Amino acid sequence: MTDLLTRDEWLRRAAVPVARTRLWIDGDFVDAASGKTFECVGPRDGATFARVAEGDAADVDRAVAAARRSFEAGVWREAAPAHRKAVMLRWAQLIREHAHELALLETLNVGKPISDSVKVDVEYAATNVQWYAETIDKMYGEVAPVPRDSLTIVEREPLGVVGAVVPWNYPLIISSWKVGAALAAGNSVVLKPAEQSPLSALLFAELATRAGLPDGCFNVVTGFGPTAGAALGRHADVDKLAFTGSTEVGKYFLRYAAESNGKPVSLELGGKTPHVVLRDCPDLDAAASAIAWGVFYNSGQTCHAGTRLVVDRTIEDELLERISGVAAGLQPGDPLEPTTTMGTIVDRVQLERVLGYIESGRAEGADVHLGGRQAHPVQGGCYVEPTVFRNVRPGMRIEREEIFGPVLASVAVDDVDAAVRIANDTPYGLGAAVWTRDLSRAHKVARALRAGTVWVNTFDRSSIVTPFGGFKQSGTGRDRSMHSIEGYTNLKTTWIQL
Ligand code: NAI
Ligand code: MG
């Protein structure tokens, strides 16, 4: 299923009108209550290629009510674990069978290279759903060591209705983390995809129903953040909020919870990942490759992208040369061409933002070592060259703020202590990396780096089996691994007098 089609075939399929453009509520496609729709503008060429239902508060009410009904009826949470597992495994299988369709929707919406959409985004979404399916009949409760006159059972129960609001950088992957874990734990879900990437979620949800998920257990409301997203956040009948996106909006969700029913909130927010390369880096070629892919992949629109290179001054020249060498093979191209390795920026707004940051780097006195310009492989599209700044000083905006574009900022340092200090001098704490051949130095630096994931002599290796999330303003709570299931459950103690 992952064999790739030709560009002509992708173009032919892209010309067919998008089939699913309405809200998915209670197992059916429905129009927004207001009848309104909004445009999908493709970043590949700037053309409008679909119109999608614009859900708002009234639609969120409908979706939450459907989720609540399905939860209270127990059609999912009370079904036998073996049955729920079989349904989710079938769903994973259907995702794989629809890989080309899902991948095309992802690429049309956000401009990812089509081969990444097929081999990474859709494949991981299927893997994630499959993994969560497998947890369902492996979650055991506990018997607590209370006095012998009693029996005390401690179990995990689903929370109820989960509201998930996700961004556009990895629409299917991030949705599959949250929806997969929430459903595996027995909850019902309302998902609001980003307005830039509403399409893949609609097919993703329909496939769940086709796999046997009861109506109402997984609903999708497409629409904008301040309307549909805020309505979900403020809803008094939502029991948990799971959000990935900007730190600014993450803080809104804490406020929405506080101003409504005090529901728990998990947040996966921004990052400014430091990539520390010490003088005794074991393999400069491997480091250069990991650094380039780690910041330019997905055009840098990755929350844990390694955007800050903190490098020993004596090896900076050589490392930057090698990074440029790797970047030569990572130039923006037509996302529908199967050999393209770098696609677009998600939309005009984000394009202007990235170009603005590049301008600010120049204005603040950093030097452009590589790239720094918009590119035009397809007219009208949103493309930026892989860009490297050197002579960056801590505190410059390109060193401080999340850019969400293919921009690396190199800061030269003279020793390990300075490297750790600069690496940690950020409001974020999602990821960090260190390259050294000294075992104890590697451990010491890894301990000192304040981040949810620290890579040593590698970068961006990840798996559904490891927790993912941030320290500091990168958020709270975790996606992936059994730890993520904890976030979608409550502990229930049953105390029995014998
Ligand atoms: P955003 O945080 O505004 O959007 C993410 C999601 O939140 C979308 O579904 C959006 O509709 C929703 N949302 C937006 N405003 C909302 C509100 N007032 N109430 C409820 N929901 C709301 O991110 P945006 O504007 O697309 O990108 C801006 C910057 O955020 C990026 O340049 C990047 O720095 C960062 N970002 C980080 C991401 C991550 O993975 N950590 C993902 C996307 C963006
Ligand atoms: Mg925003």
Side-chain angles (χ1 to χ4, degrees):
M1 197 57 225
T2 53
D3 54 313
L4 285 170
L5 310 171
T6 61
R7 176 170 173 277
D8 284 348
E9 178 58 20
W10 287 118
L11 280 168
R12 196 190 62 74
R13 294 185 183 201
V16 176
V18 174
R20 297 163 190 82
T21 57
R22 300 193 293 161
L23 315 177
W24 179 254
I25 296 177
D26 214 5
D28 247 321
F29 286 111
V30 294
D31 290 319
S34 67
K36 286 204 274 188
T37 59
F38 65 99
E39 289 183 342
C40 288
V41 179
R44 175 180 176 271
D45 59 3
T48 297
F49 67 95
R51 297 197 68 93
V52 181
E54 184 185 333
D56 60 23
D59 306 290
V60 167
D61 275 345
R62 267 199 294 176
V64 171
R68 173 60 59 194
R69 274 196 306 278
S70 70
F71 187 75
E72 296 305 331
V75 286
W76 178 243
R77 75 183 153 101
E78 290 189 353
H83 172 75
R84 292 196 287 125
K85 172 176 158 179
V87 168
M88 285 188 66
L89 287 177
R90 207 152 45 229
W91 183 20
Q93 179 60 29
L94 287 174
I95 293 167
R96 291 208 166 91
E97 287 170 14
H98 291 76
H100 285 163
E101 223 175 323
L102 285 162
L104 183 59
L105 295 173
E106 209 80 315
T107 287
L108 292 176
N109 260 167
V110 305
K112 282 174 193 283
I114 190 70
S115 37
D116 289 342
S117 292
V118 174
K119 292 185 204 156
V120 180
D121 295 80
V122 177
E123 178 51 32
Y124 283 21
T127 301
N128 298 342
V129 167
Q130 182 180 328
W131 192 84
Y132 281 117
E134 291 287 358
T135 67
I136 292 174
D137 60 359
K138 297 173 188 66
M139 287 186 254
Y140 289 75
E142 300 163 5
V143 173
V146 295
R148 298 287 293 167
D149 68 344
S150 301
L151 174 64
T152 306
I153 302 166
V154 182
E155 289 176 287
R156 291 213 164 262
E157 286 195 350
L159 292 167
V161 177
V162 171
V165 176
V166 298
W168 40 263
N169 52 344
Y170 296 92
L172 278 171
I173 292 178
I174 295 173
S175 298
S176 67
W177 288 343
K178 297 188 194 304
V179 180
L183 288 177
N187 298 281
S188 294
V189 182
V190 178
L191 172 70
K192 202 221 54 86
E195 51 272 37
Q196 296 88 343
S197 56
L199 295 172
S200 59
L202 295 169
L203 177 53
F204 182 61
E206 188 196 336
L207 294 177
T209 301
R210 278 160 61 183
L213 187 72
D215 292 349
C217 294
F218 178 18
N219 310 276
V220 178
V221 178
T222 52
F224 292 91
T227 48
L232 194 54
R234 292 185 191 283
H235 208 291
D237 205 28
V238 169
D239 299 297
K240 149 100 191 188
L241 293 169
F243 173 75
T244 297
S246 62
T247 295
E248 179 194 5
V249 175
K251 290 177 183 175
Y252 294 168
F253 274 88
L254 294 172
R255 192 191 308 152
Y256 298 153
E259 288 175 357
S260 55
N261 56 346
K263 55 182 89 66
V265 180
S266 61
L267 302 172
E268 198 266 277
L269 309 175
K272 195 72 188 174
T273 293
H275 211 133
V276 175
V277 186
L278 300 177
R279 196 170 306 179
D280 65 344
C281 172
D283 182 342
L284 273 189
D285 284 320
S289 173
I291 291 162
W293 281 95
V295 65
F296 301 138
Y297 184 76
N298 211 37
S299 296
Q301 302 166 118
T302 302
C303 37
H304 62 272
T307 48
R308 287 189 301 146
L309 177 60
V310 181
V311 55
D312 189 282
R313 198 178 304 281
T314 60
I315 57 172
E316 187 189 25
D317 284 343
E318 199 173 340
L319 185 60
L320 290 183
E321 270 332 296
R322 294 185 198 202
I323 290 171
S324 299
V326 180
L330 257 169
Q331 293 298 318
D334 183 351
L336 290 178
E337 164 56 54
T339 57
T340 292
T341 48
M342 189 174 176
T344 73
I345 301 295
V346 72
D347 61 13
R348 285 261 141 214
V349 174
Q350 190 65 22
L351 174 70
E352 294 305 329
R353 191 182 145 107
V354 172
L355 294 173
Y357 272 111
I358 292 174
E359 214 27 67
S360 88
R362 288 197 177 98
E364 289 192 86
D367 297 324
V368 176
H369 171 76
L370 182 74
R373 289 167 310 193
Q374 197 176 342
H376 304 277
V378 181
Q379 277 314 312
C382 305
Y383 302 83
V384 174
E385 294 173 342
T387 297
V388 178
F389 278 100
R390 64 180 306 174
N391 295 325
V392 175
R393 283 186 315 279
M396 288 180 175
R397 288 184 62 210
I398 54 167
E399 194 272 338
R400 197 84 198 150
E401 299 175 20
E402 182 174 58
I403 300 174
F404 242 54
V407 183
L408 179 67
S410 178
V411 181
V413 293
D414 295 306
D415 57 45
V416 181
D417 291 344
V420 170
R421 186 168 34 76
I422 289 168
N424 279 337
D425 184 13
T426 164
Y428 296 114
L430 197 50
V434 57
W435 294 74
T436 172
R437 65 169 80 240
D438 183 305
L439 181 65
S440 64
R441 186 177 299 135
H443 277 293
K444 284 181 186 162
V445 173
R447 277 188 185 160
L449 291 170
R450 296 192 60 207
T453 301
V454 177
W455 288 279
V456 177
N457 295 337
T458 186
F459 192 74
D460 200 16
R461 297 294 305 277
S462 75
S463 160
I464 185 69
V465 306
T466 56
F468 180 68
F471 286 20
K472 301 196 274 184
Q473 293 193 39
S474 289
T476 172
R478 292 292 180 268
D479 286 309
R480 307 198 313 231
S481 84
M482 292 305 284
H483 294 288
S484 68
I485 306 257
E486 290 162 17
Y488 295 99
T489 55
N490 238 332
L491 280 178
K492 158 87 59 85
T493 299
T494 308
W495 191 297
I496 304 163
Q497 185 70 41
L498 299 179

